[in-house]
Amino acid sequence: MHWIILIVAGLFEALFATCLGMANQTKGKESVLWLIGFLVSLTISMVLLYIATQKLPIGTAYAMWTGIGAVTTAIIGILIFKEPATFWRLFFIATLIASVVGLKAVSH
């Protein structure tokens, strides 16, 4: 169950990063709403990370949380923010995914 909580926490990490990107691209009330979304997503992500670390080793949990967030944010950047999808960028995203899977595989 704590692994699922950690995955959801990582997805909320990507959401708060996405909200920051959207806040930078908007103005006025819309920007403020994105910043509120950032704060809500940040809070949820941190609380879920805290819950996950009650049963999972902090080093593994933090690395996985960061990896899940980084991979998801990079994919969102490519799909939503039209960031480049070069071979090397996709290659290193794939190595991040392999690292997250590997951490899960070797963790007890």
Side-chain angles (χ1 to χ4, degrees), residues 77-91:
I78 291 167
L79 297 176
I80 294 176
F81 296 108
K82 306 299 183 215
E83 294 175 0
T86 64
F87 169 79
W88 288 111
R89 186 176 179 136
L90 296 174
F91 171 78

Side-chain angles (χ1 to χ4, degrees), residues 6-87:
L6 184 61
I7 290 167
V8 173
L11 294 175
F12 272 99
E13 181 195 5
L15 182 59
F16 77 66
T18 302
C19 288
L20 276 180
M22 294 301 291
N24 286 331
Q25 291 185 352
T26 56
K27 303 269 188 241
K29 284 185 180 181
E30 188 177 359
S31 182
V32 171
L33 290 174
W34 283 112
L35 288 173
I36 291 169
F38 161 76
L39 292 172
V40 170
S41 300
L42 175 67
T43 302
I44 292 170
S45 183
M46 293 297 164
V47 168
L48 292 175
L49 177 61
Y50 170 76
I51 292 168
T53 59
Q54 298 302 301
K55 297 285 184 188
L56 302 174
I58 187 68
T60 301
Y62 184 76
M64 288 195 63
W65 175 77
T66 304
I68 292 164
V71 167
T72 307
T73 302
I75 292 168
I76 289 170
I78 291 167
L79 297 176
I80 294 176
F81 296 108
K82 306 299 183 215
E83 294 175 0
T86 64
F87 169 79

